[in-house]
Amino acid sequence: MNVGDVDLLTHLRCFVAVAEERHFGRAAARLHVTQPALSRTIARLERTLGARLFDRTSRTVRLSGVGELLFPDAERLVDGADGFVALAAQAARGEIGTIRAGVPLGLPAETMATLTRSFRERHPAVGLDLREQRPGTQLAAGLDVALLVPDDEHSAGLRRGPVALQELGVIASAAGAFASHAELHLADLAGRALALLPMDQSAWEPQLLAACRAGGFEPTTVHRPQQLEFALGLVLADDAVALGAAESAGAGLTWIPIVGTPARRRLQPVWQDAGDDMGRGRAFAEIAVDALCAGGAWRREEQLPEQRGPALRPGSFA
């Protein structure tokens, strides 16, 4: 904001400081400038405006009639500029606005609550619009960030956060053939049907079935129920087994760790870097993985340096 050769906003800031302090020395200290420099700035502003802003004596400094008239508008301009700068800084840190985030279908209520509370505590001025989706490999239209199954092909050009990993076990009937087993190899499940949990019937399904085959388990039938209760009902009746986390095993069911060939789920926050100038994807990514790992069912996957993509450093939201 310039008038002639004068940076008007800087000069108005000096005018407001002197008007509020009623003292050039105190105003200069407040602005971190020397008193002579401040006096020259006020004199330059007065010449530019063609009006005297202060009545000065050897002991007092007070606003002139013109100064009294201009002070309220000058104060509003200075406050508005300061507010604008503060708003821009908040936006750059991702501290305002709304983030639209995709979370996997079937995410436990405790994890959802931890994620939501943590995000609100760290970013109280940012709205969080969570949308449930099947955990695929591509960032859906309309989302700023999502927890997806890691996929190098589909996430090319995207920013990626840390990977969360969940070790799966066998969910079986507590009264069935595996009730007395403390652990199982996947090959021990040979001859059984597999009930895929609803949250696995997307990007995870090929990986889980590949793990079963690698471990020597080729299911006689693969059930794909749409409801979790239906899937667990098949297991409860001992008509099938399922692969899942311990928290999925309810009454009448048992969870048995898998040894040997592992069966795992992986999730990774993914967001468009080009559209994340406000840092919202970065802000969500670390909090989401922390929330997944908080209950112990998930853990951060340790990656070798050459395997790492452009992931976040812990605690980095800028």
Side-chain angles (χ1 to χ4, degrees):
M1 186 185 300
N2 291 281
V3 178
D5 295 328
V6 170
D7 178 351
L8 186 58
L9 184 58
T10 298
H11 284 64
L12 289 180
R13 197 181 302 278
C14 293
F15 167 55
V16 168
V18 176
E20 290 178 342
E21 297 292 343
R22 296 291 198 271
H23 192 279
F24 272 81
R26 289 194 297 270
R30 169 173 152 182
L31 295 169
H32 304 290
V33 299
T34 65
Q35 185 171 333
L38 178 59
S39 297
R40 289 193 297 271
T41 298
I42 295 299
R44 191 179 305 117
L45 179 60
E46 290 177 324
R47 287 195 303 271
T48 300
L49 298 178
R52 190 178 74 258
L53 299 176
F54 295 98
D55 291 327
R56 308 170 179 86
T57 70
S58 59
R59 294 186 176 182
T60 63
V61 176
R62 63 183 182 185
L63 286 166
S64 67
V66 174
E68 291 279 3
L69 181 66
L70 296 181
F71 175 71
D73 283 339
E75 190 175 40
R76 279 194 292 271
L77 284 170
V78 170
D79 288 346
D82 290 341
F84 178 83
V85 171
L87 183 65
Q90 281 186 296
R93 294 192 299 267
E95 294 177 354
I96 57 174
T98 298
I99 183 169
R100 296 160 298 180
V103 295
L105 183 72
L107 202 64
E110 294 82 2
T111 302
M112 287 283 292
T114 299
L115 192 163
T116 302
R117 281 196 300 266
S118 297
F119 192 88
R120 287 175 179 168
E121 286 171 1
R122 298 189 203 180
H123 302 275
V126 180
L128 182 60
D129 179 6
L130 291 178
R131 304 183 184 186
E132 193 175 42
Q133 63 174 38
R134 289 191 178 278
T137 60
Q138 293 179 291
L139 189 62
L143 292 179
D144 300 307
V145 59
L147 287 169
L148 302 179
V149 176
D151 183 277
D152 290 339
E153 178 183 353
H154 291 109
S155 60
L158 298 175
R159 294 288 291 176
R160 293 179 282 175
V163 175
L165 179 147
Q166 184 181 54
E167 300 283 355
L168 304 182
V170 176
I171 301 175
S173 170
F178 301 117
S180 61
H181 287 67
E183 58 185 30
L184 287 168
H185 288 81
L186 286 170
D188 297 331
L189 306 179
R192 308 287 302 196
L194 176 67
L196 281 173
L197 304 185
M199 69 183 302
D200 293 323
Q201 296 169 37
S202 57
W204 276 319
E205 180 175 338
Q207 298 174 27
L208 293 183
L209 293 180
C212 289
R213 287 192 292 271
F217 171 40
E218 190 69 49
T220 57
T221 304
V222 178
H223 299 284
R224 297 177 177 84
Q226 295 303 300
Q227 299 294 325
L228 177 62
E229 289 303 311
F230 193 102
L232 296 181
L234 293 174
V235 177
L236 190 61
D238 207 23
D239 286 341
V241 294
L243 300 178
E247 62 199 21
S248 298
L253 300 173
T254 185
W255 185 84
I256 307 165
I258 295 172
V259 293
T261 304
R264 292 167 172 164
R265 295 191 188 113
R266 287 182 174 86
L267 281 173
Q268 184 176 40
V270 174
W271 67 96
Q272 288 278 2
D273 192 43
D276 194 40
D277 57 321
M278 295 177 71
R280 294 171 182 169
R282 294 177 178 86
F284 179 83
E286 193 76 28
I287 294 172
V289 173
D290 283 347
L292 280 172
C293 299
W298 295 78
R299 61 179 172 83
R300 286 175 182 254
E301 182 177 44
E302 295 298 327
Q303 295 175 288
L304 297 175
E306 63 269 19
Q307 294 177 313
R308 290 194 180 115
L312 287 176
R313 299 186 306 275
S316 173
F317 305 116

